[in-house]
Amino acid sequence: MKIEKAAVIGAGAMGSGIAQVLSQAGIQVVLKDVKDEFVERGLSNIKRMYDSRVKREALTADEAERLFKNIKGTTSFEDIGSPDIVIEAALEEIEVKLEIFKELDKICPSHTLLATNTSALSVSEIASATKRADKVLGMHFFNPAQTMPLVEVIPGVETAKETVETAMALVKELGKEPVHVEECPGFLVNRVLFPYMNEALWALQEKKAGPAEIDAKVVEFGMPMGPLALFDMTGIDICAHVVNFLYEEYGPRFEPSPLLKVMVEEGFLGQKSGAGFFVHDKANPVKKGEAKPVNPELDRLIEKANKLAECGKAQRDFEAERVILPMFNEAVYALQEGVVKACDVDVAMKYGCGLKRGLLSLASDKGLADCLAQLESYHGDLGERFRPAWLMKKLVRAGVKDFSTSKKEAVCVN
Ligand SMILES: NC(=O)c1ccc[n+]([C@@H]2O[C@H](COP(=O)([O-])OP(=O)(O)OC[C@H]3O[C@@H](n4cnc5c(N)ncnc54)[C@H](O)[C@@H]3O)[C@@H](O)[C@H]2O)c1
């Protein structure tokens, strides 16, 4: 089915971005929120984005006006009409989403696909609110949706193959990269990224390196941004919520560093609160090339965190692998569960996190046997956060050196 008409539920940060991306592809969009002022705010954000594209000469004023007119705002479900797809980007609360999907199922024609942009809720549970679970799926856009190229496409238990195919084709038509991810907590990108972020905090607690050194070594290794700068940018409270959720779902591999709790309790939330691991003084922004000042309270916060839980000690000084290996290991756990194909892991991490090289390619450069040996050594020093995935052991025992050999197909499990 070719998507010509769409509706987006929720005109916040994600909903307005998704509506804009759809309108740019020439798709007619109805954008719904609960209050006129929220719809207006969403529409004016989209207008501002279009204006800035005109300013940058990426579009003419006429083109921008024509594309912007593809979007109509509303507060009423009745105005949605008969879309080919609805993408829901309302609040991240299961009751809100169940209510919305129940209503959409009632008012939309039988051919309409229903997608949710949930970050972490169960797609299958959301689908259970409808009588068309075969036509419900997750479409996880990244923030900002206008520019981030990746969309994780997540079928629920009952989603039909054609539904997934239509969503994958739509994502390509929007000029983005779709990756098919089976439903699991955190889907792929967040599941793989958060062991890396969390491990940077455990390393910080050991005090062998400060935040600037940790970030610099990791950037040198090939990450677009250090984990501590990323915490500050995303919001430490939001990250704490995600790590706690993943810990609940997956257990000890995701044991949250107590530093997260301490930072949130003391109101050091990152850029939005003026300080996190670094100081963010809007009145005195750091000039390009200058080092970001480290939060002067950090030593005290680390002492406090170290009283809450034993952080263990690595035998070696801080090296980028300390945080990269848990990320790689988690990707291999996802492979062994059949959540994703090996060939899609690199695409997801490159386009979802901006890795300069794919994660599996980085590990292949190092050699799988080396990665396993280093993980086992960290496992001995620091425990369960580093328990290697059995698939990695299996591949090393089979003599597979990297993921770029023909044997790669052996781990393309779905
Ligand atoms: N912000 C991110 O980085 C990000 C990234 C990926 C996915 N998500 C997910 O996208 C969804 C939206 O996130 P956001 O950051 O845009 O939130 P947001 O708070 O900016 O916007 C949510 C909007 O939904 C509206 N809304 C609430 N109930 C509604 C209803 N019944 N009908 C219509 N609109 C309703 C709210 O009024 C608000 O305008 C969430 O599920 C979130 O987890 C967010």
Side-chain angles (χ1 to χ4, degrees):
M1 174 175 61
K2 174 137 174 63
I3 304 292
E4 287 169 356
K5 287 187 283 176
V8 175
I9 309 298
M14 294 306 293
S16 56
I18 295 167
Q20 180 182 342
V21 170
L22 291 163
S23 71
Q24 269 167 217
I27 295 169
Q28 300 294 314
V29 188
V30 178
L31 178 60
K32 184 203 174 287
D33 209 302
V34 287
K35 286 191 182 168
D36 286 331
E37 64 201 86
F38 299 152
V39 176
E40 288 311 316
R41 183 193 54 195
L43 288 173
S44 66
N45 284 340
I46 299 172
K47 179 84 176 63
R48 199 157 16 87
M49 294 298 285
Y50 268 128
D51 288 347
S52 90
R53 293 198 67 197
V54 171
K55 227 182 233 166
R56 283 184 280 118
E57 298 184 358
L59 281 178
T60 66
D62 282 355
E63 278 167 340
E65 199 187 325
R66 183 175 54 79
L67 295 175
F68 181 63
K69 278 193 181 149
N70 286 339
I71 311 171
K72 304 267 174 293
T74 184
T75 53
S76 160
F77 273 115
E78 269 65 54
D79 291 339
I80 281 177
S82 52
D84 302 313
I85 191 166
V86 181
I87 302 178
E88 170 277 322
L91 298 183
E92 185 74 349
E93 284 175 23
I94 190 69
E95 291 74 22
V96 172
K97 294 201 192 287
L98 292 175
E99 199 50 51
I100 290 173
F101 274 72
K102 203 166 146 194
E103 187 63 32
L104 288 171
D105 192 37
K106 252 194 262 163
I107 60 159
C108 290
S110 61
H111 81 282
T112 306
L113 305 186
L114 304 178
T116 172
N117 184 46
T118 181
S119 307
L121 298 172
S122 162
V123 173
S124 301
E125 185 175 358
I126 293 169
S128 75
T130 73
K131 294 191 178 71
R132 61 175 90 190
D134 59 324
K135 293 196 170 69
V136 178
L137 82 169
M139 287 179 78
H140 186 217
F141 289 75
F142 289 74
N143 190 13
Q146 292 91 337
T147 51
M148 287 297 283
L150 184 73
V151 180
E152 292 177 314
V153 174
I154 306 129
V157 171
E158 294 186 54
T159 310
K161 197 164 153 259
E162 302 77 59
T163 303
V164 175
E165 284 166 1
T166 305
M168 300 283 283
L170 171 63
V171 173
K172 282 191 191 140
E173 205 184 316
L174 300 179
K176 296 188 181 289
E177 281 290 334
V179 167
H180 178 153
V181 180
E182 291 298 321
E183 186 177 344
C184 68
F187 308 135
L188 182 72
V189 170
N190 284 338
R191 174 179 175 177
V192 169
L193 187 66
F194 274 88
Y196 152 85
M197 309 245 316
N198 189 39
E199 194 53 37
L201 302 187
W202 285 106
L204 199 56
Q205 281 184 242
E206 276 187 44
K207 289 182 149 186
K208 282 195 190 131
E213 188 185 349
I214 291 179
D215 276 7
K217 284 200 169 161
V218 171
V219 169
E220 208 177 297
F221 193 90
M223 294 297 285
M225 184 189 265
L228 299 160
L230 186 57
F231 266 116
D232 277 11
M233 196 181 88
T234 312
I236 296 172
D237 51 340
I238 291 174
C239 295
H241 183 75
V242 179
V243 178
N244 286 325
F245 163 71
L246 293 170
Y247 179 49
E248 243 173 59
E249 297 292 332
Y250 292 109
R253 285 203 307 282
F254 284 85
E255 186 185 353
S257 150
L259 188 52
L260 264 179
K261 185 168 181 261
V262 170
M263 301 286 289
V264 174
E265 268 172 10
E266 297 223 7
F268 292 111
L269 307 181
Q271 285 175 7
K272 63 185 169 189
S273 71
F277 297 100
F278 300 97
V279 175
H280 305 275
D281 182 356
K282 275 193 191 140
N284 280 309
V286 174
K287 294 193 187 81
K288 217 175 168 190
E290 266 180 16
K292 281 179 291 209
V294 171
N295 182 348
E297 297 285 319
L298 195 56
D299 277 345
R300 180 183 64 77
L301 297 167
I302 290 175
E303 290 306 326
K304 196 169 167 187
N306 280 339
K307 285 193 187 124
L308 294 178
E310 189 53 51
C311 74
K313 281 260 179 278
Q315 299 290 330
R316 44 187 115 197
D317 287 341
F318 179 78
E319 54 191 1
E321 284 89 339
R322 163 89 182 253
V323 294
I324 301 287
L325 283 169
M327 177 161 67
F328 168 59
N329 194 31
E330 198 54 40
V332 183
Y333 271 103
L335 285 178
Q336 81 182 25
E337 289 168 19
V339 161
V340 70
K341 288 181 183 169
C343 29
D344 284 340
V345 172
D346 281 3
V347 175
M349 298 313 286
K350 199 163 151 193
Y351 293 112
C353 304
L355 259 73
K356 291 174 199 148
R357 289 204 60 208
L359 184 58
L360 298 186
S361 310
L362 280 171
S364 298
D365 288 352
K366 200 174 155 53
L368 273 188
D370 263 21
C371 290
L372 178 59
Q374 217 172 334
L375 266 170
E376 280 174 337
S377 152
Y378 277 123
H379 183 229
D381 290 346
L382 299 169
E384 288 306 301
R385 299 193 307 276
F386 287 88
R387 178 177 289 282
W390 61 253
L391 176 62
M392 202 180 318
K393 294 185 186 174
K394 178 170 126 176
L395 293 173
V396 169
R397 284 175 194 143
V400 174
K401 292 194 172 45
D402 62 48
F403 285 91
S404 62
T405 64
S406 57
K407 287 186 186 165
K408 167 168 133 179
E409 292 310 317
V411 289
C412 277
V413 282
N414 47 359

